Amino acid sequence: MTDVGNMRARYRRILRFAARYMAQAWWYELLLPRLGLSRISARNRATRLQRIAQRFHVLAVDLGGLMIKVGQFMSSRLDVLPPEITKELEGLQDEVPPVPFPAIRELAEVELGVPLERAYSFVDPTPLAAASLGQAHRARLSDADAADTGLIDVVVKIQRPGIDRVVDVDLRALRRVAGWLNRVRVVADRVDMPALVEEFAHTSLEEIDYLHEAASAERFAQEFAGDSRVAVPRVAWERTTRRVLTLEDVTAIKINDVEGLRAAGIDPSEVAAEFAAVMFDQLFADGYFHADPHPGNIFVTPTPRQTREAGQAREAGQAAEAGRAASATTGAAAKGGDWHFTFIDFGMMGEVPEGLRRGLRKILIAAASRDGKGMVDGIREVGVLLPSADTAELERAMTKLFARFGGMGFAELQDVDPREFRDFAIEFGDVVRSLPFQLPENFLLIIRAMGLTSGMCSALDPAFNIWDAIEPYAGQLIREESGNVVQEFAKQAVSVAGVVARLPQRLDELATRLEDGRVVAQNPRLERRLGMMERMARRILSAILFAALLIGGILLRADDLVFGTVLMGISVLPLLHALFAGITGPRGPG
């Protein structure tokens, strides 16, 4: 098959996958509950989701490209998604098949304009890591370049050949799926899917421009200059192009390598708390953040002193002493900087405008103080809720949520009776679904960064409590913005005083209108038209029921042949009613 044929087949395969599971979601999650068949909808839901995850895993590994990015995000949501889903997709972090080295060599030599042996004194043909858009190889700079840059050992990141065409096809498919979703009213009323895909497209195109990534790495380093918690690899600009990126080799302990951390005398729970603080600083203070903080992109780097002490303890074979030394060193690490985070892969970065950052700070402070109304106000200021949204019920929902689950960590939430979550969803699910909302610019990346952060911290420490990380940070924000709080309180006091001052006059105007008979309720006589509309609505409902039963039968036949066939047969009855009710039914007067 030609390259063009491969791209067409890829496009069609993505669309078929999306169409199939959109139809399944419509049947199980929208139609059946509206028909009062929620019990059928809930039956085997976990198995259905696991099956979808398994099939997407196969699709993503087979296709690569942007499909891997989607799977990586889902696999990191340990705090939200059930383990059946995350376990099926977690392998997408590391199992992307590498491109054979001859193809990588050819692309690199074309980009650099010289043979690889002249550009580097050594390149390891075995990749250090293989990602969805490119792969990395250890290398050593030539003597001349090493003298110019001050670097010797480097990592060379090289794009996968043809990845620009793959990204183009994937984005066209995603745009098509977004168009489908935009025709579903329950989706279109709440989010602009085409705009979200365009934002994702912008980010993806930046991610395959390594010159942009190199500039982002230097900017990120400047943001954290003087902060001992964070380090960033230096760029070898002499060997960097749009499709080849050469960086200082900073390989250390992967942030999710719990055993490696403990062996180095580092407590994973301390890493979780510090990592949350570093990410909060990026999102709420600096406004420039790493939007792809998955385990492959974050190292924990011990200082030489800490590494030497841990090694001496192990060599002496003093296990108990090593444990105590690790604990003491960990305490020093939090305060004295015996280890730090090293970020890599700056292809996906995000910015938080000041207005959005202000709203996010309000949400953070409200979450820390368990303030339901404050949380809703912050959500509105962020721009997620449209101005027309009636948030009274949402405030009640958030207040009740904080009262019951506020302060619980990930491990504690796992012990909560699932029926409590179900009852909460039943009580307030309609409230949330009925609210008109939209996602502001860059918010998708913020959600991704927060989701990956929360999932990573929970993986490092199952007892990690996000509230413990939020509260000190929120307290600091409250102190920093105390002047703004006082000003806001004064504004509210003036506003309330104004309402109270105008209240007698408005009550007097209302009483005058009542006395004059000018307050009326109009009710036009529409009985005849209502009758016609009622009959039409019945026919439409029958047509919808026919389509639902037919589609449901087709979907279910793959798993249950008998039940699926019965549903398809029953679908004939509403079809007959939809076709002939208008002929046999009573006609209203002309």
Side-chain angles (χ1 to χ4, degrees), residues 449-474:
M450 290 300 295
L452 290 171
T453 300
S454 180
M456 176 54 61
C457 292
S458 297
L460 284 168
D461 178 12
F464 175 78
N465 191 331
I466 192 67
W467 306 104
D468 293 340
I470 285 176
E471 285 178 343
Y473 194 85

Short mmCIF file of all heavy atoms in Angstrom, two decimals, residues 449-474:
data_model
loop_
_atom_site.label_atom_id
_atom_site.label_comp_id
_atom_site.label_asym_id
_atom_site.label_seq_id
_atom_site.Cartn_x
_atom_site.Cartn_y
_atom_site.Cartn_z
N ALA A 449 -2.38 19.26 32.89
CA ALA A 449 -1.28 19.37 33.85
C ALA A 449 -1.74 19.02 35.26
O ALA A 449 -1.05 18.29 35.99
CB ALA A 449 -0.71 20.79 33.82
N MET A 450 -2.92 19.50 35.67
CA MET A 450 -3.42 19.20 37.01
C MET A 450 -3.76 17.73 37.14
O MET A 450 -3.53 17.11 38.19
CB MET A 450 -4.65 20.07 37.31
CG MET A 450 -4.32 21.53 37.49
SD MET A 450 -3.17 21.84 38.86
CE MET A 450 -4.15 21.33 40.26
N GLY A 451 -4.34 17.15 36.08
CA GLY A 451 -4.68 15.73 36.13
C GLY A 451 -3.44 14.86 36.26
O GLY A 451 -3.41 13.92 37.08
N LEU A 452 -2.41 15.15 35.46
CA LEU A 452 -1.17 14.38 35.54
C LEU A 452 -0.49 14.55 36.90
O LEU A 452 0.05 13.60 37.47
CB LEU A 452 -0.23 14.80 34.42
CG LEU A 452 -0.64 14.39 33.00
CD1 LEU A 452 0.26 15.07 31.97
CD2 LEU A 452 -0.57 12.88 32.84
N THR A 453 -0.54 15.78 37.42
CA THR A 453 0.08 16.04 38.73
C THR A 453 -0.62 15.26 39.83
O THR A 453 0.03 14.60 40.65
CB THR A 453 0.04 17.54 39.05
OG1 THR A 453 0.76 18.26 38.04
CG2 THR A 453 0.64 17.83 40.41
N SER A 454 -1.94 15.33 39.85
CA SER A 454 -2.70 14.63 40.89
C SER A 454 -2.49 13.13 40.79
O SER A 454 -2.30 12.44 41.80
CB SER A 454 -4.19 14.99 40.75
OG SER A 454 -4.95 14.34 41.74
N GLY A 455 -2.52 12.60 39.56
CA GLY A 455 -2.32 11.17 39.38
C GLY A 455 -0.93 10.73 39.81
O GLY A 455 -0.75 9.69 40.44
N MET A 456 0.09 11.53 39.48
CA MET A 456 1.47 11.19 39.84
C MET A 456 1.65 11.19 41.35
O MET A 456 2.27 10.29 41.93
CB MET A 456 2.44 12.20 39.20
CG MET A 456 3.89 12.00 39.59
SD MET A 456 4.46 10.32 39.29
CE MET A 456 4.19 10.27 37.52
N CYS A 457 1.12 12.21 42.03
CA CYS A 457 1.27 12.29 43.49
C CYS A 457 0.57 11.11 44.17
O CYS A 457 1.09 10.56 45.15
CB CYS A 457 0.71 13.61 44.00
SG CYS A 457 1.68 15.05 43.49
N SER A 458 -0.59 10.71 43.67
CA SER A 458 -1.30 9.58 44.24
C SER A 458 -0.54 8.28 44.00
O SER A 458 -0.59 7.36 44.83
CB SER A 458 -2.71 9.48 43.65
OG SER A 458 -3.47 10.62 43.98
N ALA A 459 0.16 8.17 42.87
CA ALA A 459 0.94 6.97 42.58
C ALA A 459 2.17 6.89 43.50
O ALA A 459 2.56 5.82 43.95
CB ALA A 459 1.38 6.95 41.12
N LEU A 460 2.79 8.04 43.79
CA LEU A 460 3.95 8.08 44.67
C LEU A 460 3.57 7.78 46.12
O LEU A 460 4.32 7.14 46.86
CB LEU A 460 4.63 9.45 44.61
CG LEU A 460 5.48 9.74 43.37
CD1 LEU A 460 5.82 11.22 43.32
CD2 LEU A 460 6.74 8.90 43.37
N ASP A 461 2.40 8.27 46.50
CA ASP A 461 1.96 8.12 47.89
C ASP A 461 0.45 7.90 47.89
O ASP A 461 -0.32 8.85 47.77
CB ASP A 461 2.32 9.38 48.68
CG ASP A 461 1.85 9.32 50.13
OD1 ASP A 461 1.46 8.22 50.57
OD2 ASP A 461 1.88 10.35 50.82
N PRO A 462 -0.01 6.63 48.04
CA PRO A 462 -1.46 6.36 48.02
C PRO A 462 -2.23 7.15 49.07
O PRO A 462 -3.42 7.40 48.90
CB PRO A 462 -1.54 4.86 48.29
CG PRO A 462 -0.22 4.32 47.82
CD PRO A 462 0.77 5.40 48.13
N ALA A 463 -1.53 7.54 50.15
CA ALA A 463 -2.20 8.33 51.20
C ALA A 463 -2.09 9.83 50.93
O ALA A 463 -2.48 10.64 51.78
CB ALA A 463 -1.59 8.01 52.57
N PHE A 464 -1.57 10.22 49.77
CA PHE A 464 -1.42 11.65 49.45
C PHE A 464 -2.78 12.33 49.50
O PHE A 464 -3.76 11.85 48.92
CB PHE A 464 -0.81 11.80 48.06
CG PHE A 464 -0.73 13.24 47.59
CD1 PHE A 464 0.26 14.08 48.06
CD2 PHE A 464 -1.65 13.73 46.68
CE1 PHE A 464 0.33 15.39 47.63
CE2 PHE A 464 -1.58 15.05 46.25
CZ PHE A 464 -0.59 15.88 46.74
N ASN A 465 -2.83 13.44 50.20
CA ASN A 465 -4.07 14.21 50.35
C ASN A 465 -3.88 15.55 49.66
O ASN A 465 -3.08 16.38 50.10
CB ASN A 465 -4.39 14.40 51.84
CG ASN A 465 -5.79 14.96 52.05
OD1 ASN A 465 -6.32 15.68 51.22
ND2 ASN A 465 -6.39 14.61 53.18
N ILE A 466 -4.62 15.77 48.58
CA ILE A 466 -4.46 16.99 47.81
C ILE A 466 -4.77 18.22 48.67
O ILE A 466 -4.22 19.30 48.45
CB ILE A 466 -5.37 16.96 46.56
CG1 ILE A 466 -5.02 18.08 45.59
CG2 ILE A 466 -6.83 17.02 46.94
CD1 ILE A 466 -3.67 17.95 44.96
N TRP A 467 -5.63 18.05 49.69
CA TRP A 467 -5.99 19.19 50.55
C TRP A 467 -4.77 19.66 51.34
O TRP A 467 -4.59 20.85 51.59
CB TRP A 467 -7.11 18.81 51.50
CG TRP A 467 -8.30 18.26 50.79
CD1 TRP A 467 -8.68 16.97 50.72
CD2 TRP A 467 -9.25 18.99 50.01
NE1 TRP A 467 -9.81 16.84 49.94
CE2 TRP A 467 -10.18 18.06 49.50
CE3 TRP A 467 -9.41 20.34 49.69
CZ2 TRP A 467 -11.24 18.44 48.69
CZ3 TRP A 467 -10.48 20.72 48.89
CH2 TRP A 467 -11.37 19.77 48.40
N ASP A 468 -3.92 18.70 51.77
CA ASP A 468 -2.72 19.08 52.51
C ASP A 468 -1.78 19.92 51.64
O ASP A 468 -1.08 20.80 52.13
CB ASP A 468 -1.98 17.84 52.99
CG ASP A 468 -2.77 17.08 54.05
OD1 ASP A 468 -3.66 17.70 54.66
OD2 ASP A 468 -2.51 15.87 54.24
N ALA A 469 -1.76 19.62 50.34
CA ALA A 469 -0.92 20.40 49.43
C ALA A 469 -1.53 21.76 49.12
O ALA A 469 -0.82 22.74 48.94
CB ALA A 469 -0.70 19.61 48.13
N ILE A 470 -2.85 21.81 49.07
CA ILE A 470 -3.54 23.04 48.71
C ILE A 470 -3.50 24.06 49.85
O ILE A 470 -3.26 25.25 49.63
CB ILE A 470 -5.00 22.74 48.31
CG1 ILE A 470 -5.04 22.10 46.91
CG2 ILE A 470 -5.85 24.00 48.33
CD1 ILE A 470 -6.43 21.68 46.48
N GLU A 471 -3.75 23.60 51.08
CA GLU A 471 -3.97 24.53 52.19
C GLU A 471 -2.79 25.47 52.45
O GLU A 471 -2.98 26.69 52.57
CB GLU A 471 -4.36 23.75 53.45
CG GLU A 471 -5.79 23.25 53.38
CD GLU A 471 -6.20 22.44 54.60
OE1 GLU A 471 -5.31 21.99 55.34
OE2 GLU A 471 -7.40 22.27 54.79
N PRO A 472 -1.55 24.98 52.56
CA PRO A 472 -0.44 25.94 52.78
C PRO A 472 -0.30 26.93 51.64
O PRO A 472 -0.04 28.11 51.86
CB PRO A 472 0.79 25.03 52.89
CG PRO A 472 0.27 23.69 53.20
CD PRO A 472 -1.08 23.59 52.54
N TYR A 473 -0.49 26.44 50.42
CA TYR A 473 -0.35 27.32 49.26
C TYR A 473 -1.47 28.36 49.25
O TYR A 473 -1.24 29.53 48.98
CB TYR A 473 -0.37 26.49 47.98
CG TYR A 473 0.08 27.26 46.77
CD1 TYR A 473 1.42 27.36 46.44
CD2 TYR A 473 -0.84 27.91 45.96
CE1 TYR A 473 1.84 28.07 45.34
CE2 TYR A 473 -0.43 28.63 44.85
CZ TYR A 473 0.91 28.70 44.54
OH TYR A 473 1.31 29.43 43.46
N ALA A 474 -2.70 27.89 49.55
CA ALA A 474 -3.82 28.83 49.58
C ALA A 474 -3.63 29.87 50.68
O ALA A 474 -3.95 31.04 50.51
CB ALA A 474 -5.13 28.06 49.79
#
